[in-house]
mmCIF file of all heavy atoms in Angstrom:
data_model
loop_
_atom_site.group_PDB
_atom_site.id
_atom_site.type_symbol
_atom_site.label_atom_id
_atom_site.label_comp_id
_atom_site.label_asym_id
_atom_site.label_seq_id
_atom_site.Cartn_x
_atom_site.Cartn_y
_atom_site.Cartn_z
ATOM 1 N N ASN A 1 7.806 -24.743 -43.123
ATOM 2 C CA ASN A 1 8.093 -23.393 -42.596
ATOM 3 C C ASN A 1 7.519 -22.348 -43.525
ATOM 4 O O ASN A 1 7.383 -22.582 -44.741
ATOM 5 C CB ASN A 1 9.562 -23.216 -42.405
ATOM 6 C CG ASN A 1 10.127 -24.050 -41.275
ATOM 7 O OD1 ASN A 1 9.443 -24.293 -40.285
ATOM 8 N ND2 ASN A 1 11.360 -24.483 -41.392
ATOM 9 N N PRO A 2 7.234 -21.129 -43.025
ATOM 10 C CA PRO A 2 6.593 -20.072 -43.840
ATOM 11 C C PRO A 2 7.403 -19.684 -45.058
ATOM 12 O O PRO A 2 6.815 -19.282 -46.078
ATOM 13 C CB PRO A 2 6.474 -18.900 -42.866
ATOM 14 C CG PRO A 2 6.463 -19.527 -41.535
ATOM 15 C CD PRO A 2 7.354 -20.722 -41.586
ATOM 16 N N ASP A 3 8.742 -19.823 -45.056
ATOM 17 C CA ASP A 3 9.504 -19.460 -46.236
ATOM 18 C C ASP A 3 9.285 -20.360 -47.414
ATOM 19 O O ASP A 3 9.722 -20.086 -48.529
ATOM 20 C CB ASP A 3 11.015 -19.359 -45.903
ATOM 21 C CG ASP A 3 11.570 -20.673 -45.397
ATOM 22 O OD1 ASP A 3 10.837 -21.693 -45.376
ATOM 23 O OD2 ASP A 3 12.769 -20.691 -44.991
ATOM 24 N N ALA A 4 8.534 -21.432 -47.168
ATOM 25 C CA ALA A 4 8.191 -22.358 -48.260
ATOM 26 C C ALA A 4 6.825 -22.053 -48.837
ATOM 27 O O ALA A 4 6.322 -22.830 -49.678
ATOM 28 C CB ALA A 4 8.206 -23.824 -47.773
ATOM 29 N N TYR A 5 6.199 -20.944 -48.458
ATOM 30 C CA TYR A 5 4.832 -20.673 -48.864
ATOM 31 C C TYR A 5 4.630 -20.749 -50.392
ATOM 32 O O TYR A 5 3.702 -21.401 -50.891
ATOM 33 C CB TYR A 5 4.360 -19.281 -48.351
ATOM 34 C CG TYR A 5 2.924 -18.990 -48.784
ATOM 35 C CD1 TYR A 5 1.866 -19.393 -48.006
ATOM 36 C CD2 TYR A 5 2.675 -18.288 -49.959
ATOM 37 C CE1 TYR A 5 0.559 -19.163 -48.398
ATOM 38 C CE2 TYR A 5 1.389 -18.054 -50.362
ATOM 39 C CZ TYR A 5 0.311 -18.483 -49.575
ATOM 40 O OH TYR A 5 -0.976 -18.229 -49.972
ATOM 41 N N SER A 6 5.517 -20.095 -51.152
ATOM 42 C CA SER A 6 5.330 -20.045 -52.593
ATOM 43 C C SER A 6 5.368 -21.414 -53.185
ATOM 44 O O SER A 6 4.577 -21.772 -54.072
ATOM 45 C CB SER A 6 6.407 -19.171 -53.234
ATOM 46 O OG SER A 6 6.287 -17.796 -52.808
ATOM 47 N N ALA A 7 6.294 -22.267 -52.710
ATOM 48 C CA ALA A 7 6.412 -23.627 -53.236
ATOM 49 C C ALA A 7 5.177 -24.455 -52.885
ATOM 50 O O ALA A 7 4.651 -25.235 -53.699
ATOM 51 C CB ALA A 7 7.705 -24.287 -52.694
ATOM 52 N N ILE A 8 4.709 -24.312 -51.651
ATOM 53 C CA ILE A 8 3.495 -25.036 -51.222
ATOM 54 C C ILE A 8 2.316 -24.577 -52.060
ATOM 55 O O ILE A 8 1.501 -25.395 -52.552
ATOM 56 C CB ILE A 8 3.244 -24.803 -49.718
ATOM 57 C CG1 ILE A 8 4.331 -25.448 -48.876
ATOM 58 C CG2 ILE A 8 1.876 -25.356 -49.328
ATOM 59 C CD1 ILE A 8 4.353 -26.931 -48.839
ATOM 60 N N ALA A 9 2.139 -23.256 -52.259
ATOM 61 C CA ALA A 9 1.006 -22.753 -52.989
ATOM 62 C C ALA A 9 1.032 -23.213 -54.426
ATOM 63 O O ALA A 9 -0.012 -23.467 -55.031
ATOM 64 C CB ALA A 9 1.005 -21.227 -52.923
ATOM 65 N N GLU A 10 2.217 -23.328 -54.999
ATOM 66 C CA GLU A 10 2.303 -23.738 -56.415
ATOM 67 C C GLU A 10 1.892 -25.173 -56.600
ATOM 68 O O GLU A 10 1.238 -25.515 -57.597
ATOM 69 C CB GLU A 10 3.752 -23.590 -56.878
ATOM 70 C CG GLU A 10 3.973 -23.881 -58.370
ATOM 71 C CD GLU A 10 5.400 -23.643 -58.806
ATOM 72 O OE1 GLU A 10 6.183 -23.082 -58.030
ATOM 73 O OE2 GLU A 10 5.707 -24.016 -59.936
ATOM 74 N N ALA A 11 2.217 -26.040 -55.602
ATOM 75 C CA ALA A 11 1.853 -27.478 -55.737
ATOM 76 C C ALA A 11 0.441 -27.743 -55.230
ATOM 77 O O ALA A 11 -0.376 -28.316 -55.960
ATOM 78 C CB ALA A 11 2.854 -28.310 -54.979
ATOM 79 N N ALA A 12 0.192 -27.410 -54.007
ATOM 80 C CA ALA A 12 -1.129 -27.434 -53.349
ATOM 81 C C ALA A 12 -2.107 -28.534 -53.802
ATOM 82 O O ALA A 12 -3.068 -28.257 -54.489
ATOM 83 C CB ALA A 12 -1.800 -26.074 -53.506
ATOM 84 N N PRO A 13 -1.941 -29.788 -53.410
ATOM 85 C CA PRO A 13 -0.845 -30.316 -52.605
ATOM 86 C C PRO A 13 0.231 -30.951 -53.490
ATOM 87 O O PRO A 13 0.000 -31.302 -54.638
ATOM 88 C CB PRO A 13 -1.532 -31.378 -51.779
ATOM 89 C CG PRO A 13 -2.571 -31.912 -52.736
ATOM 90 C CD PRO A 13 -3.024 -30.768 -53.569
ATOM 91 N N ARG A 14 1.390 -31.116 -52.899
ATOM 92 C CA ARG A 14 2.451 -31.873 -53.489
ATOM 93 C C ARG A 14 2.382 -33.297 -52.956
ATOM 94 O O ARG A 14 2.443 -33.508 -51.765
ATOM 95 C CB ARG A 14 3.796 -31.267 -53.185
ATOM 96 C CG ARG A 14 4.993 -32.039 -53.767
ATOM 97 C CD ARG A 14 6.330 -31.401 -53.405
ATOM 98 N NE ARG A 14 7.443 -32.242 -53.787
ATOM 99 C CZ ARG A 14 8.698 -31.959 -53.499
ATOM 100 N NH1 ARG A 14 8.996 -30.849 -52.815
ATOM 101 N NH2 ARG A 14 9.667 -32.767 -53.917
ATOM 102 N N VAL A 15 2.281 -34.286 -53.852
ATOM 103 C CA VAL A 15 2.120 -35.669 -53.444
ATOM 104 C C VAL A 15 3.274 -36.479 -54.045
ATOM 105 O O VAL A 15 3.506 -36.464 -55.223
ATOM 106 C CB VAL A 15 0.784 -36.263 -53.947
ATOM 107 C CG1 VAL A 15 0.644 -37.719 -53.530
ATOM 108 C CG2 VAL A 15 -0.398 -35.430 -53.413
ATOM 109 N N GLU A 16 4.036 -37.136 -53.148
ATOM 110 C CA GLU A 16 5.201 -37.910 -53.561
ATOM 111 C C GLU A 16 5.048 -39.370 -53.118
ATOM 112 O O GLU A 16 4.365 -39.683 -52.144
ATOM 113 C CB GLU A 16 6.478 -37.322 -52.930
ATOM 114 C CG GLU A 16 6.758 -35.873 -53.304
ATOM 115 C CD GLU A 16 7.275 -35.730 -54.720
ATOM 116 O OE1 GLU A 16 7.555 -36.728 -55.352
ATOM 117 O OE2 GLU A 16 7.383 -34.576 -55.171
ATOM 118 N N ALA A 17 5.755 -40.246 -53.873
ATOM 119 C CA ALA A 17 5.828 -41.670 -53.494
ATOM 120 C C ALA A 17 4.443 -42.292 -53.247
ATOM 121 O O ALA A 17 4.183 -42.975 -52.244
ATOM 122 C CB ALA A 17 6.734 -41.857 -52.254
ATOM 123 N N ASP A 18 3.522 -42.045 -54.200
ATOM 124 C CA ASP A 18 2.186 -42.570 -54.128
ATOM 125 C C ASP A 18 1.502 -42.235 -52.801
ATOM 126 O O ASP A 18 0.822 -43.079 -52.192
ATOM 127 C CB ASP A 18 2.182 -44.097 -54.339
ATOM 128 C CG ASP A 18 0.771 -44.642 -54.551
ATOM 129 O OD1 ASP A 18 -0.121 -43.885 -54.985
ATOM 130 O OD2 ASP A 18 0.546 -45.810 -54.134
ATOM 131 N N GLY A 19 1.690 -41.002 -52.352
ATOM 132 C CA GLY A 19 0.997 -40.548 -51.170
ATOM 133 C C GLY A 19 1.708 -40.873 -49.866
ATOM 134 O O GLY A 19 1.178 -40.582 -48.796
ATOM 135 N N ARG A 20 2.923 -41.396 -49.936
ATOM 136 C CA ARG A 20 3.648 -41.601 -48.664
ATOM 137 C C ARG A 20 4.154 -40.308 -48.084
ATOM 138 O O ARG A 20 4.325 -40.154 -46.861
ATOM 139 C CB ARG A 20 4.811 -42.578 -48.899
ATOM 140 C CG ARG A 20 4.444 -44.011 -49.180
ATOM 141 C CD ARG A 20 3.839 -44.680 -47.956
ATOM 142 N NE ARG A 20 4.822 -44.982 -46.958
ATOM 143 C CZ ARG A 20 5.469 -46.150 -46.892
ATOM 144 N NH1 ARG A 20 5.260 -47.083 -47.811
ATOM 145 N NH2 ARG A 20 6.340 -46.405 -45.938
ATOM 146 N N VAL A 21 4.372 -39.294 -48.948
ATOM 147 C CA VAL A 21 4.800 -37.983 -48.483
ATOM 148 C C VAL A 21 3.916 -36.942 -49.158
ATOM 149 O O VAL A 21 3.833 -36.930 -50.418
ATOM 150 C CB VAL A 21 6.285 -37.684 -48.791
ATOM 151 C CG1 VAL A 21 6.654 -36.292 -48.360
ATOM 152 C CG2 VAL A 21 7.161 -38.741 -48.142
ATOM 153 N N VAL A 22 3.212 -36.109 -48.402
ATOM 154 C CA VAL A 22 2.308 -35.111 -48.930
ATOM 155 C C VAL A 22 2.625 -33.766 -48.248
ATOM 156 O O VAL A 22 2.832 -33.725 -47.041
ATOM 157 C CB VAL A 22 0.828 -35.458 -48.650
ATOM 158 C CG1 VAL A 22 -0.085 -34.361 -49.156
ATOM 159 C CG2 VAL A 22 0.497 -36.774 -49.342
ATOM 160 N N ALA A 23 2.677 -32.698 -49.033
ATOM 161 C CA ALA A 23 2.955 -31.356 -48.478
ATOM 162 C C ALA A 23 1.922 -30.365 -49.022
ATOM 163 O O ALA A 23 1.833 -30.197 -50.238
ATOM 164 C CB ALA A 23 4.367 -30.898 -48.852
ATOM 165 N N ARG A 24 1.132 -29.776 -48.130
ATOM 166 C CA ARG A 24 0.189 -28.763 -48.564
ATOM 167 C C ARG A 24 -0.057 -27.692 -47.490
ATOM 168 O O ARG A 24 -0.936 -26.858 -47.616
ATOM 169 C CB ARG A 24 -1.138 -29.384 -48.955
ATOM 170 C CG ARG A 24 -1.913 -29.953 -47.766
ATOM 171 C CD ARG A 24 -3.242 -30.587 -48.203
ATOM 172 N NE ARG A 24 -4.087 -29.726 -48.927
ATOM 173 C CZ ARG A 24 -5.087 -30.136 -49.733
ATOM 174 N NH1 ARG A 24 -5.308 -31.426 -49.872
ATOM 175 N NH2 ARG A 24 -5.817 -29.251 -50.377
ATOM 176 N N THR A 25 0.752 -27.718 -46.420
ATOM 177 C CA THR A 25 0.457 -26.953 -45.227
ATOM 178 C C THR A 25 1.643 -26.082 -44.859
ATOM 179 O O THR A 25 2.816 -26.472 -45.037
ATOM 180 C CB THR A 25 0.109 -27.878 -44.077
ATOM 181 O OG1 THR A 25 -0.923 -28.768 -44.475
ATOM 182 C CG2 THR A 25 -0.344 -27.112 -42.839
ATOM 183 N N VAL A 26 1.348 -24.872 -44.264
ATOM 184 C CA VAL A 26 2.375 -23.987 -43.775
ATOM 185 C C VAL A 26 2.124 -23.802 -42.275
ATOM 186 O O VAL A 26 0.970 -23.588 -41.849
ATOM 187 C CB VAL A 26 2.396 -22.624 -44.495
ATOM 188 C CG1 VAL A 26 3.243 -21.613 -43.759
ATOM 189 C CG2 VAL A 26 2.898 -22.804 -45.931
#
């Protein structure tokens, strides 16, 4: 969601569990 923009931008991308979970998009 857009309220996560700052967190997404800081990680860009955030990669967890050896790529099983990835977050880089709003």
Side-chain angles (χ1 to χ4, degrees):
N1 290 328
D3 59 6
Y5 179 87
S6 296
I8 293 289
E10 183 177 353
R14 178 181 173 185
V15 179
E16 301 285 352
D18 190 28
R20 289 293 286 270
V21 178
V22 177
R24 71 181 303 160
T25 307
V26 168

